[in-house]
Amino acid sequence: MKSGLGFVAAVNLIIWAGITLYLFVLDRRLKKLEQRSGMDVHYEK
Amino acid sequence: MIYKILLTIWMNLIIAAVFLYVEPAVGFPGEVSRILFFHVPMAWVATLAFLLSMIASSVYLITRKVNADFLAQSSAELGFLFCFLATVTGSIFAKATWGSFWNWDPRQTSIVMLLMIYGAYFVLRSAVPDYEKRRVFAGVYSILAFCTVPFLIFVVPRITTSLHPEDTLNPANPGMDIKTLIFFLGSLCAYTGLFVWMLRLKVRMLRIMDREQRAFRSNF
């Protein structure tokens, strides 16, 4: 294994952590918005 | 929730393994072949997203259920995003192997054409003010746009000479050892899971926006 690969892996893991954190936060905010507007799971046309 | 946590752990394992455990492929300079674990899944997800957009558009045109249009729009947007990322990662690979980021290789040219075709889909969506007409036009366009996908992704790069490596998943000539294949397929699954997660979020977002717009319009 080359020495630089550990650094590249760490950068990729940080990017991935940022993406997942953003998606989890977005998920929570959407859930709150859905609850506030009383939206059901099944969308009505 | 559990599938999202599992996906996060799975993606972390894949990233760590492809850099620290899997050996680089023979025949490519340095460590550049490791981009395969990111570039190919992105291209796969883009194709899957465009296919799903076409199916959802067909469902919308038949049933006129607005949920199908949300799915079609979300899928096309994510397909565009992943197609763009596949283009960027492909350019990085091209720089390392062919000497420059852009070579007008048939594969590069066809992916740019695909981006332009789906870029026009969003232009069309934003150009029609009437909601019902917009959904119908976008649905028809999405079906027509997908007709070009097999041609641009599978046919064009094969009828002309291309620098792009082929046969990565050909069962007769896999071109990768079993360890690489396992993590490659693992990466494909992880990216597909990520796409499903993002797609569900985007559809929920569109539903909330649509509901807010309906409420706003009903007040006037």
Side-chain angles (χ1 to χ4, degrees):
Chain A
M1 189 192 84
K2 288 191 176 177
S3 57
L5 282 179
F7 174 73
V8 179
V11 170
N12 271 274
L13 286 171
I14 290 166
I15 292 170
W16 173 240
I19 292 169
T20 45
L21 183 69
Y22 174 74
L23 292 178
F24 274 115
V25 169
L26 190 63
D27 206 344
R28 279 183 69 87
R29 285 190 180 174
L30 284 177
K31 201 170 276 178
K32 278 181 187 171
L33 277 171
E34 283 167 346
Q35 282 169 353
R36 201 167 64 187
S37 60
M39 280 176 75
D40 198 351
V41 177
H42 303 287
Y43 180 78
E44 293 169 5
K45 193 184 169 186
Chain B
M1 180 59 89
I2 189 75
Y3 117 87
K4 293 164 192 168
I5 294 167
L6 285 176
L7 176 66
T8 306
I9 296 166
W10 181 244
M11 190 64 113
N12 281 321
L13 286 175
I14 291 288
I15 291 170
V18 300
F19 284 110
L20 307 175
Y21 180 65
V22 177
E23 298 295 324
V26 179
F28 295 99
E31 307 288 334
V32 72
S33 64
R34 292 181 200 274
I35 210 163
L36 163 95
F37 297 100
F38 305 97
H39 171 70
V40 179
M42 283 169 186
W44 149 253
V45 166
T47 313
L48 182 71
F50 292 146
L51 173 67
L52 189 61
S53 177
M54 185 272 285
I55 293 169
S57 296
S58 307
V59 170
Y60 174 74
L61 291 173
I62 295 165
T63 63
R64 296 298 162 111
K65 285 189 175 167
V66 78
N67 258 347
D69 181 65
F70 292 156
L71 185 62
Q73 185 188 346
S74 309
S75 201
E77 284 179 13
L78 289 174
F80 188 86
L81 172 71
F82 279 99
C83 194
F84 177 74
L85 290 173
T87 310
V88 172
T89 50
S91 295
I92 295 167
F93 179 83
K95 174 67 178 171
T97 51
W98 310 333
S100 75
F101 286 107
W102 204 259
N103 304 276
W104 292 109
D105 181 78
R107 183 73 73 169
Q108 289 180 320
T109 311
S110 60
I111 206 164
V112 164
M113 287 169 74
L114 200 58
L115 283 172
M116 288 166 74
I117 287 167
Y118 275 91
Y121 171 82
F122 305 119
V123 173
L124 178 69
R125 284 203 82 101
S126 60
V128 183
D130 183 75
Y131 289 91
E132 183 64 28
K133 276 184 184 171
R134 178 194 299 173
R135 286 171 181 148
V136 173
F137 288 167
V140 173
Y141 185 87
S142 177
I143 294 166
L144 292 173
F146 188 77
C147 294
T148 66
V149 173
F151 182 73
L152 289 173
I153 290 181
F154 301 110
V155 179
V156 171
R158 285 175 175 80
I159 56 173
T160 53
T161 313
S162 174
L163 294 163
H164 192 275
E166 297 294 340
D167 297 339
T168 46
L169 270 181
N170 185 347
N173 179 24
M176 59 175 81
D177 61 289
I178 189 72
K179 197 163 73 176
T180 310
L181 187 63
I182 287 168
F183 284 104
F184 174 69
L185 293 176
S187 183
L188 276 181
C189 293
Y191 270 88
T192 309
L194 177 65
F195 165 66
V196 172
W197 187 5
M198 291 171 78
L199 184 69
R200 289 179 67 183
L201 286 173
K202 182 67 192 172
V203 169
R204 283 167 63 195
M205 212 182 290
L206 287 177
R207 278 181 193 165
I208 294 169
M209 282 166 67
D210 182 66
R211 194 180 170 94
E212 294 295 320
Q213 281 168 353
R214 279 167 194 253
F216 180 75
R217 286 202 303 270
S218 65
N219 288 334
F220 291 96

